[in-house]
Amino acid sequence: MSDSDSGEKLGSNLSELIKQLEKIEFTSDRDLYQYARILRAIGLELHMRIGMDADMVGAILAQYKGKWWTFGAQSKIRAKLVSAHLKGGASAAKVLGLSGVKMYASFVKHFIQPEIEAERKAREGKGSKKPGFSIGDKPKGAAGRPGEAGRAA
């Protein structure tokens, strides 16, 4: 039984989210949906954590005294350069989360929508009249019932 069947709620703990992601076995469309939800939650969690850590690292490094004649300005510039790498990682984590959502949207577009469209067309075809054998209806261009062909009443 996979997590998608159990209806387990997504947690905010990153290690729990990763455990949930590892448990998923791709056996149905619900598993793909659950995978996308968990991957999105992981991406958002990582984005938030790494972004906050980048700000914290930048603030800590900006407090470094450095050379006395720069009044700490050089340290602040270098701290921004260092924390910018973490901010880039935070953006990458956000993209990771979005990739799960895009994967599921692509699955819907390429697999589910064609099935729905084919089913809709099949239902429309059942309502239309099919040429061939009919009882009680006068066929188009045919003589009709015996005794009706060519006689004027």
Side-chain angles (χ1 to χ4, degrees), residues 97-118:
L98 287 174
S99 69
V101 174
K102 288 183 177 183
M103 175 272 305
Y104 188 73
S106 181
F107 168 72
V108 168
K109 177 182 177 184
H110 295 293
F111 286 91
I112 294 176
Q113 287 299 328
E115 291 290 327
I116 291 171
E117 186 66 23

Side-chain angles (χ1 to χ4, degrees), residues 48-68:
M48 183 182 65
R49 284 188 184 191
I50 294 172
M52 289 188 326
D53 290 345
D55 292 338
M56 185 173 57
V57 166
I60 289 170
L61 292 177
Q63 293 176 0
Y64 181 72
K65 297 293 183 204
K67 307 291 183 190
W68 67 270

